[in-house]
Amino acid sequence: MAKESMKAREVKRLKLVERYAAKRAALKEAGDYEGLAKLPRNSNPIRLHNRCKLTGRPKGYMRIFGISRIQFREMASKGLIPGVKKASW
């Protein structure tokens, strides 16, 4: 389980990315790299980190499902994910 502070930090970064997306695109289009450098660093989308929606775990993230590999395995074993059959794991 991820710390609440880490989850909150990711939410804050996501809001900054959304707020500055249009301005960042306009500055990039104009080639104004000095203006880009003046924007907050956390407004860059590269700083976002994928986290499991259920546990907040940053590693082993599966983009298709939006959860970590551990949660995927548990849910598949319980039959909560349709179309997934347990092979040998």
Side-chain angles (χ1 to χ4, degrees):
M1 201 68 170
K3 287 184 181 178
E4 293 299 318
S5 60
M6 296 303 285
K7 291 181 191 177
R9 187 180 301 168
E10 289 296 323
V11 170
K12 183 178 177 184
R13 284 181 183 160
L14 183 61
K15 288 179 183 176
L16 271 175
V17 167
E18 291 170 354
R19 184 183 312 154
Y20 287 99
K23 188 172 187 178
R24 180 172 290 280
L27 289 172
K28 249 185 187 177
E29 185 70 32
D32 184 13
Y33 295 106
E34 290 179 12
L36 278 172
K38 291 178 183 176
L39 293 178
R41 287 190 177 186
N42 284 336
S43 69
N44 192 343
I46 201 75
R47 288 191 169 231
L48 292 177
H49 199 90
N50 292 324
R51 289 187 173 269
C52 175
K53 300 285 189 250
L54 303 175
T55 61
R57 187 174 199 272
K59 297 181 180 178
Y61 179 79
M62 301 175 79
R63 284 179 192 248
I64 296 171
F65 300 99
I67 56 177
S68 68
R69 63 179 178 81
I70 297 170
Q71 288 299 311
F72 176 80
R73 186 173 178 177
E74 287 177 6
M75 291 175 74
S77 294
K78 293 177 185 175
L80 298 175
I81 302 176
V84 177
K85 294 182 181 176
K86 184 175 180 281
S88 68
W89 42 348

